[in-house]
Amino acid sequence: MAHRWTNDLTHDDVTPKSAYLNRRQLMTGMAGLGLAALAPKARAATDLTPTDFDVITQYNNFYEFGTGKEDPAKHAHRLTTQPWSIKIDGMVDRPGDYALGDILSKMTIEERLYRFRCVEAWSMVVPWNGFELKDLLDLAGVQSSAKYVAFETLYRPDEMIGQKSPFLEWPYVEGLRLDEANHPLTLMATGIYGKDMPKQNGAPIRLVVPWKYGFKSIKSIVRITLTDKEPPTSWNKSIPGEYGFYSNVNPEVDHPRWSQASERPIGGGFFAKRIPTLKFNGYEKEVASLYDGMDLRKNY
Amino acid sequence: MINTLNTLVRKVPNWLLYLIGAAYPAWLLYAGFTGGLGVDPVKAMEHALGKAGLQVLIAVLLITPLRRFTKLNVLSWRRALGVIAFFYILLHFLVWMVLDVQIISQVKADLIKRPYIIVGMISLLILLPLAITSNNLSIRNLGPRWRKLHKLTYLAVALGGVHYIMQTKGFEYEPYIYLAVVLGLIAIRKLPKKRAAHPAKRQAA
């Protein structure tokens, strides 16, 4: 079932920066005249504008293609994404290899304009295209014993040349609690800006969990396993003291090596101002209840 | 051969070294404004300056072993290289503070709370008096103490290598190679020198 969650940011917000700036100037002008109330319904768009396509596709952490931010754009062309299938196994009624084409024929692709916050304290705003993960899980039929969802990225060092380095333990793995996976915000993304997912951004299909740090949003997924145990996650295995299982965006809980209170929007050049980081990356209203009674400092 | 090379090295005027040294940050700034540093010029410049600072300091540490093992004498460049490295690292710090972290309360918190920032800062603070005393007047005034003071270079460079390792995310070879080179260049100075004493001994025997 698509459209469970309605974006308060619509396609109209996918506007060129110049137009956005004009609108902003206009509104500032109106505020000066005491006419702010007459401005079109003040949406979050006043402080949120989509990052340029070129920026989203040239600044990536996709360590399967190298450790530099430009490496994925340079090397991801080697990746072959056809044929592609996702193995869904574990506690499901209908385990098996699901061909991507078959999956997509059953899904409604939506546009979701989400904030994207990297654990390294930079951020973007991305117009994703995709479907809700829950719809895919429903396809496989999640059994009642399942409590977690584990994800795995493709392991193919001949094409993903970064996998030849011991930077991380390959393949990359991630995980969500089942209720997080079923949340209507949790997206399986197949494109950005209406185009097929660029290879450097995790083609052909990736996860997007907008209230968590970017590394949770695992790319180029080939396997999804339903399980009753908290699955291992790559960065947690690598540096457990810095990267937890939950990794919810939280300005109150610092990374041991830097503050998470603010973030640098990418694409603004030398003098881009930092902006305050929002709890759950601005999706507190939607997801905070998932963590009722949990110590978010302990469960970082 | 080596004598011609040494003459050539000595002929390079200091102002030329400083000019080349200054050209690099100027180029970074230009590249940053024209898209040459990618979509995040702040981090690109910050990292490039830090790494260049470490590289030039490694070049400084190379000068003594080069002279000892190859007879190539680049001693006349050492002061300029040291001063250039100091300015790269100072700029590295300023870019981090002004363009990256920006918020002064956050800068202060980082300087107290984050070990890798503290290590980097100590290294810069050690280099400060060395840069200030990099002139003939200081050498004259400080006498033998000048040499002692400037031995702190070893500590500053080693801390720089440690700072580089501490800021990495996953496992990368590069920062470890840098630290190994730095420690190797410090250790090589401890190799026993076979000079004057030995021929004397041999004669006695």
Side-chain angles (χ1 to χ4, degrees):
Chain A
M1 192 184 76
H3 304 290
R4 274 191 209 90
W5 181 75
T6 334
N7 229 324
D8 59 346
L9 305 160
T10 68
H11 195 78
D12 299 339
D13 295 309
V14 188
T15 43
K17 192 174 251 169
S18 53
Y20 154 74
L21 288 173
N22 284 338
R23 184 166 62 203
R24 212 172 172 173
Q25 275 160 9
L26 196 69
M27 289 180 69
T28 319
M30 283 195 260
L33 292 167
L35 293 174
L38 295 179
K41 136 176 113 116
R43 286 179 302 199
T46 44
D47 52 16
L48 205 67
T49 190
T51 307
D52 288 341
F53 181 82
D54 288 345
V55 173
I56 295 172
T57 53
Q58 285 172 36
Y59 191 86
N60 308 97
N61 279 338
F62 195 176
Y63 296 108
E64 279 79 348
F65 295 106
T67 55
K69 296 281 189 284
E70 295 86 16
D71 287 340
K74 250 183 265 169
H75 302 301
H77 64 91
R78 294 163 183 257
L79 177 68
T80 49
T81 55
Q82 276 173 338
W84 196 277
S85 62
I86 300 177
K87 182 197 199 69
I88 306 183
D89 60 0
M91 295 167 172
V92 288
D93 293 331
R94 293 172 290 280
D97 289 309
Y98 288 72
L100 184 60
D102 294 343
I103 295 173
L104 292 180
S105 68
K106 297 185 178 74
M107 299 293 158
T108 311
I109 300 295
E110 297 176 55
E111 180 174 273
R112 297 280 180 94
L113 184 60
Y114 282 164
R115 294 177 195 87
F116 184 91
R117 171 60 156 79
C118 179
V119 72
E120 295 167 348
W122 54 264
S123 66
M124 294 183 183
V125 177
V126 186
W128 302 103
N129 310 102
F131 56 87
E132 290 174 16
L133 172 61
K134 182 181 191 325
D135 293 334
L136 180 60
L137 297 180
D138 287 347
L139 212 61
V142 176
Q143 293 173 353
S144 56
S145 50
K147 291 189 175 64
Y148 293 93
V149 188
F151 303 85
E152 196 176 302
T153 296
L154 177 72
Y155 177 70
R156 201 182 281 161
D158 289 342
E159 295 180 3
M160 301 177 123
I161 55 171
Q163 289 176 335
K164 289 174 182 166
S165 136
F167 183 76
L168 278 173
E169 196 184 317
W170 313 107
Y172 194 81
V173 289
E174 255 307 332
L176 293 174
R177 226 167 52 189
L178 187 59
D179 57 344
E180 298 174 323
N182 280 333
H183 194 280
L185 277 175
T186 305
L187 198 71
M188 290 296 276
T190 53
I192 53 173
Y193 273 99
K195 298 182 175 113
D196 282 348
M197 186 64 73
K199 289 179 177 174
Q200 60 267 37
N201 294 81
I205 187 161
R206 63 170 291 173
L207 184 70
V208 178
V209 194
W211 72 91
K212 291 177 180 284
Y213 292 120
F215 66 88
K216 293 294 290 183
S217 294
I218 182 171
K219 304 182 184 82
S220 304
I221 296 168
V222 291
R223 186 175 178 189
I224 297 176
T225 308
L226 278 293
T227 158
D228 57 359
K229 284 178 198 67
E230 186 182 289
T233 59
S234 283
W235 279 107
N236 181 248
K237 282 193 286 181
S238 170
I239 319 178
E242 297 189 357
Y243 309 103
F245 175 78
Y246 285 94
S247 293
N248 293 317
V249 175
N250 191 342
E252 295 147 28
V253 179
D254 282 354
H255 183 281
R257 286 184 282 163
W258 56 83
S259 162
Q260 296 290 28
S262 65
E263 63 203 43
R264 287 181 320 119
I266 299 297
F270 268 127
F271 303 110
K273 271 261 162 291
R274 268 181 187 262
I275 55 173
T277 290
L278 304 169
K279 197 157 188 185
F280 295 109
N281 205 21
Y283 302 97
E284 185 169 9
K285 198 173 69 183
E286 288 89 350
V287 302
S289 61
L290 295 175
Y291 310 101
D292 277 346
M294 267 176 78
D295 183 349
L296 296 174
R297 202 165 282 278
K298 244 168 84 187
N299 297 285
Y300 57 93
Chain B
M1 171 66 188
I2 199 78
N3 287 333
T4 344
L5 221 53
N6 284 340
T7 318
L8 267 171
V9 166
R10 238 174 296 127
K11 272 192 182 150
V12 175
N14 267 318
W15 63 261
L16 187 61
L17 294 176
Y18 286 116
L19 193 70
I20 295 169
Y24 182 60
W27 176 81
L28 284 175
L29 205 60
Y30 170 79
F33 277 116
T34 54
L37 296 184
V39 298
D40 186 11
V42 174
K43 277 281 175 202
M45 188 163 182
E46 186 181 313
H47 292 164
L49 284 167
K51 198 186 252 189
L54 188 55
Q55 286 165 343
V56 178
L57 283 175
I58 287 174
V60 170
L61 291 189
L62 257 171
I63 289 172
T64 301
L66 264 184
R67 196 168 52 145
R68 183 170 158 198
F69 297 105
T70 71
K71 305 279 175 263
L72 179 66
N73 188 348
V74 205
L75 203 62
S76 60
W77 293 5
R78 188 158 72 180
R79 178 189 295 173
L81 290 179
V83 171
I84 289 166
F86 169 76
F87 274 104
Y88 286 179
I89 291 160
L90 183 65
L91 286 173
H92 165 69
F93 168 70
L94 289 175
V95 170
W96 170 78
M97 184 170 75
V98 178
L99 299 180
D100 182 350
V101 181
Q102 299 172 12
I103 304 154
I104 204 69
S105 60
Q106 210 165 301
V107 170
K108 280 189 208 155
D110 278 357
L111 283 171
I112 302 165
K113 282 206 297 212
R114 320 281 173 206
Y116 89 98
I117 305 264
I118 294 169
V119 168
M121 198 61 215
I122 291 173
S123 178
L124 176 59
L125 287 177
I126 293 173
L127 289 173
L128 182 67
L130 307 193
I132 292 173
T133 55
S134 285
N135 55 73
N136 293 339
L137 189 68
S138 296
I139 294 175
R140 261 200 311 275
N141 287 345
L142 289 170
R145 281 173 303 163
W146 188 92
R147 277 184 68 87
K148 244 188 200 156
L149 178 68
H150 279 250
K151 289 225 192 281
L152 282 172
T153 309
Y154 304 136
L155 180 61
V157 189
L159 288 176
V162 172
H163 166 75
Y164 186 20
I165 289 175
M166 288 173 83
Q167 60 83 50
T168 54
K169 218 172 145 186
F171 176 79
E172 287 175 90
Y173 290 110
E174 202 179 328
Y176 289 93
I177 294 171
Y178 272 86
L179 185 63
V181 168
V182 169
L183 295 179
L185 285 174
I186 294 171
I188 210 169
R189 291 164 156 79
K190 301 283 171 208
L191 285 181
K193 292 179 182 136
K194 36 181 182 188
R195 264 199 239 152
H198 292 260
K201 250 189 226 160
R202 224 176 285 138
Q203 273 170 8

